[in-house]
């Protein structure tokens, strides 16, 4: 996509986020736009950076690492896709946050890899709200147990929850899932565990981010509406 279109799209989305914030009396500065650049070339990312976007989300490990190396301008990278434990080592030290932690074994491997760097990484626990077979994420029922186990690991910090709810044409049909994620975060918060802060709710994509913002999202992950169809 050409650079001007990417800049226009980002401006448009920021405007829509601001409007959604007016509706629900939130401060737009609370909402971080994660530009999802998977399957898009480094040139598109550079165009977005020129337009003031600094936070990017990638879903595939190899592609993510290649692009982090390729993009020369400063940017912050989040990993948002399904993650196999044996690939965590490639991300170590390169991404600032992993949104898709859904099992203890994966969290343990993240902990191990960041320990080697004598460092820590921010993570979100992914919840599979629709209990869909095809999607990763812990179930709402298992969430509290998983959080309490992961919280014991010293080289990561639990910063919130992430969800990829069932796809619905009408964003209003997704809204109850967004609300449910916020309620689950409140339940986790109430446990008062050390190493756990429910600061971030990563929810909302290109077609439903306004409803997500109204329901409390602090990170919206937007690909298509910025970079075009994949
Ligand atoms: C691809 C992807 C997105 C972005 O989806 P769009 O509909 O293109 O905005 C958001 N979150 C995750 C986890 C993704 O894999």
């Amino acid at each position: 996509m050409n650079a001007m279109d990417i800049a226009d799209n980002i401006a448009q989305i920021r405007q829509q986020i601001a409007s959604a914030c007016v509706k629900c009396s939130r401060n737009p500065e609370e909402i971080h736009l994660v530009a999802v650049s998977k399957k898009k070339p480094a040139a598109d990312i550079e165009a977005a950076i020129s337009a003031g976007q600094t936070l990017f989300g990638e879903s595939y490990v190899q592609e993510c690492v290649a692009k982090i190396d390729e993009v020369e301008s400063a940017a912050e990278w989040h990993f948002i896709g399904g993650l196999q434990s044996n690939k965590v080592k490639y991300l170590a030290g390169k991404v600032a946050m992993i949104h898709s932690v859904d099992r203890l074994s994966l969290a343990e491997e993240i902990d191990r890899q960041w320990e080697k760097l004598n460092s820590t990484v921010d993570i979100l626990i992914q919840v599979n709200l629709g209990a869909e077979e095809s999607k990763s994420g812990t179930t709402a029922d298992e969430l509290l147990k998983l959080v309490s186990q992961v919280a014991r690991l010293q080289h990561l910090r639990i910063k919130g929850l992430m969800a990829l709810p069932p796809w619905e044409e009408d964003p209003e049909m997704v809204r109850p899932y967004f609300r449910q994620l916020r309620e689950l975060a409140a339940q986790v918060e109430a446990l008062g565990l050390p190493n756990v802060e429910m600061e971030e709710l990563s929810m909302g994509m290109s077609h439903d981010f306004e409803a997500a913002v109204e329901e409390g999202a602090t990170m919206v992950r937007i690909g298509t509406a910025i970079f075009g169809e994949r």
Side-chain angles (χ1 to χ4, degrees), residues 4-20 33 51 53 206 209-210 222 224-226:
M4 201 129 77
D5 289 338
I6 291 172
D8 284 348
N9 290 344
I10 290 170
Q12 162 99 35
I13 287 159
R14 291 206 176 276
Q15 193 55 53
Q16 286 172 272
I17 290 172
S19 304
L33 172 57
Q53 177 66 30
S206 288
F209 68 89
E210 289 155 296
I222 301 184
T224 311
I226 296 176

Side-chain angles (χ1 to χ4, degrees), residues 36 38 59 80-81 162 164 205-207 221-225 230:
V36 178
K38 65 182 180 213
S59 297
I80 64 171
M162 179 272 226
L164 193 65
M205 318 203 313
S206 288
H207 80 294
R221 309 178 310 266
I222 301 184
T224 311
R230 291 179 291 270

Side-chain angles (χ1 to χ4, degrees), residues 110-221:
I110 292 169
D111 183 61
R112 226 181 334 266
Q113 293 301 331
W114 262 264
E115 179 177 19
K116 285 187 192 171
L117 301 171
N118 216 347
S119 179
T120 58
V121 63
D122 291 342
I123 65 154
L124 305 178
I125 302 291
Q126 181 174 353
V127 190
N128 186 356
L129 294 175
E132 294 172 281
E133 292 277 350
S134 62
K135 287 187 186 159
S136 41
T138 185
T139 60
D141 289 343
E142 293 287 318
L143 175 65
L144 297 186
K145 183 173 153 213
L146 179 63
V147 168
S148 58
Q149 291 170 327
V150 173
R152 298 192 194 113
L153 303 170
Q154 293 300 304
H155 296 89
L156 52 78
R157 290 187 219 290
I158 303 175
K159 288 289 185 182
L161 304 180
M162 179 272 226
L164 193 65
W167 199 91
E168 298 282 353
E169 183 82 42
D170 177 2
E172 287 310 313
M173 302 290 288
V174 193
R175 189 184 289 272
Y177 292 106
F178 295 145
R179 198 167 295 165
Q180 191 191 354
L181 195 70
R182 188 183 66 208
E183 288 165 2
L184 287 170
Q187 289 178 28
V188 172
E189 185 92 68
L191 296 178
L193 293 169
N195 202 22
V196 179
E197 287 172 298
M198 289 289 112
E199 279 174 10
E200 308 291 354
L201 284 178
S202 171
M203 58 188 194
M205 318 203 313
S206 288
H207 80 294
D208 58 15
F209 68 89
E210 289 155 296
V213 167
E214 288 169 24
E215 296 303 331
T218 65
M219 294 182 164
V220 291
R221 309 178 310 266

